Amino acid sequence: KKGFVINATFVYKRGKVTMNLMKSFKFCIFRLDLVDFGPSLHESIIVMNASPEKTEQEIRSELPLQLREGKMFHITIHCEEAQFKVQINGRFIDKSFPYRYPLE
């Protein structure tokens, strides 16, 4: 629903954290992956897409801050007029994700 805000808190563990917003069973309207390739590759990214069943064009962004192993972190997803906007620990990531499917 537009104007809706989703909050989630996790304990960070190196690797991958995935959050799916489902419209119905097997119909994912937004997928958020936090991917940490480890200190040897020096890259942690956010990958946004719409459906894990049928991969579409991803939108990638850098994490706005460094997450620490074993520490809590907070994700907020804002359902705005035409897009999802994501905050990690209160800081917005630099890209948004346009709606690809109707929310209703």
Side-chain angles (χ1 to χ4, degrees), residues 43-46 60-65 92-95:
E43 186 176 354
S44 296
I45 61 169
I46 296 169
R60 293 178 173 231
S61 178
E62 293 183 16
L63 282 170
L65 62 148
F92 281 100
I93 64 172
D94 64 346
K95 296 182 181 167

Side-chain angles (χ1 to χ4, degrees), residues 70-100:
K71 300 291 182 184
M72 301 281 277
F73 71 100
H74 189 76
I75 296 175
T76 303
I77 300 172
H78 300 266
C79 303
E80 296 188 342
E81 187 61 34
Q83 65 191 358
F84 295 105
K85 289 200 54 110
V86 177
Q87 287 178 289
I88 309 286
N89 287 348
R91 294 177 64 184
F92 281 100
I93 64 172
D94 64 346
K95 296 182 181 167
S96 60
F97 188 82
Y99 297 145
R100 295 185 178 165

Side-chain angles (χ1 to χ4, degrees), residues 3-18:
F4 194 72
V5 176
I6 299 148
N7 292 293
T9 302
F10 301 91
V11 173
Y12 183 69
K13 183 172 167 90
R14 190 171 304 272
K16 182 177 174 181
V17 173
T18 298

Side-chain angles (χ1 to χ4, degrees), residues 17-29:
V17 173
T18 298
M19 217 175 141
N20 290 318
L21 301 183
M22 306 299 290
K23 184 171 182 174
S24 62
F25 183 68
K26 290 191 175 186
F27 188 7
C28 180
I29 58 171

Side-chain angles (χ1 to χ4, degrees), residues 4 16 31 41-42 53 56 58 66 81 90 97 100:
F4 194 72
K16 182 177 174 181
R31 185 182 84 225
L41 295 178
H42 304 290
E53 297 288 318
E56 298 181 23
E58 297 177 340
Q66 186 174 0
E81 187 61 34
F97 188 82
R100 295 185 178 165

